[in-house]
Amino acid sequence: MRSLDDPQLMSEIIMDHYEHPRNRGLVDDQTYQKVNMNSDTCIDDLDIQVKFDGDKIADVRYDGEACAICTSSTSIMSTLVKGKTKAEAKKIIENYMNMIYEKDYDEELLEEAIAFKNTHKQANRIKCATLG
């Protein structure tokens, strides 16, 4: 079994989510909340839709123009938070941001998102990895 410390495995995870993004494609449904996220420094420009069922995230959709890092991180995070309560999703996102900014985090909560743990080494990619 390969470790998530394996740079090749992390690259494969990122490329898989870039080439086969999960939850990509917006829906025409007014029950979704929508927000646009874009970067001043690169092409990343995403529309993100979230549908709630009470306190639970029923669905997450996104679409737009984005680099490999932005697309794959959004794909992974949308998969991680779907089906979670708002509090659970917030905890996942906080742990992800802590990982990106080299603070303490719970690796188990992040699953495939751990592939971005070395993003801090390329400061210009932090925005790409956190936009979605």
Side-chain angles (χ1 to χ4, degrees):
M1 182 173 179
R2 290 165 53 188
S3 163
L4 282 176
D5 288 328
D6 178 353
Q8 184 177 347
L9 176 59
M10 288 194 272
S11 180
E12 288 172 12
I13 291 169
I14 291 168
M15 288 311 297
D16 177 51
H17 279 270
Y18 176 65
E19 293 171 353
H20 310 284
R22 283 58 150 189
N23 305 307
R24 187 160 199 161
L26 302 177
V27 294
D28 187 13
D29 184 336
Q30 297 305 316
T31 63
Y32 282 74
Q33 295 180 24
K34 184 177 177 183
V35 65
N36 175 266
M37 303 296 289
N38 60 65
S39 174
D40 303 345
T41 58
C42 67
I43 66 163
D44 298 337
D45 186 357
L46 295 176
D47 289 319
I48 300 173
Q49 293 177 312
V50 180
K51 182 175 185 170
F52 292 98
D53 180 8
D55 190 42
K56 192 170 266 193
I57 298 171
D59 195 18
V60 179
R61 311 293 312 165
Y62 68 95
D63 207 358
E65 189 171 359
C67 68
I69 299 297
C70 185
T71 298
S72 57
S73 64
T74 304
S75 174
I76 290 170
M77 292 304 287
S78 68
T79 302
L80 279 176
V81 301
K82 193 187 290 190
K84 303 287 194 291
T85 64
K86 290 177 186 178
E88 291 168 333
K90 185 177 180 182
K91 187 173 183 180
I92 291 168
I93 293 166
E94 285 174 354
N95 272 272
Y96 180 75
M97 297 301 278
N98 283 348
M99 177 188 70
I100 295 292
Y101 289 104
E102 300 183 89
K103 297 178 183 174
D104 290 337
Y105 65 95
D106 183 348
E107 187 172 305
E108 289 188 22
L109 284 177
L110 299 180
E111 299 177 22
E112 286 187 317
I114 202 76
F116 296 96
K117 73 178 184 176
N118 291 321
T119 302
H120 67 274
K121 293 179 181 178
Q122 293 179 297
N124 61 325
R125 303 304 274 175
I126 290 174
K127 181 74 171 182
C128 303
T130 59
L131 186 78

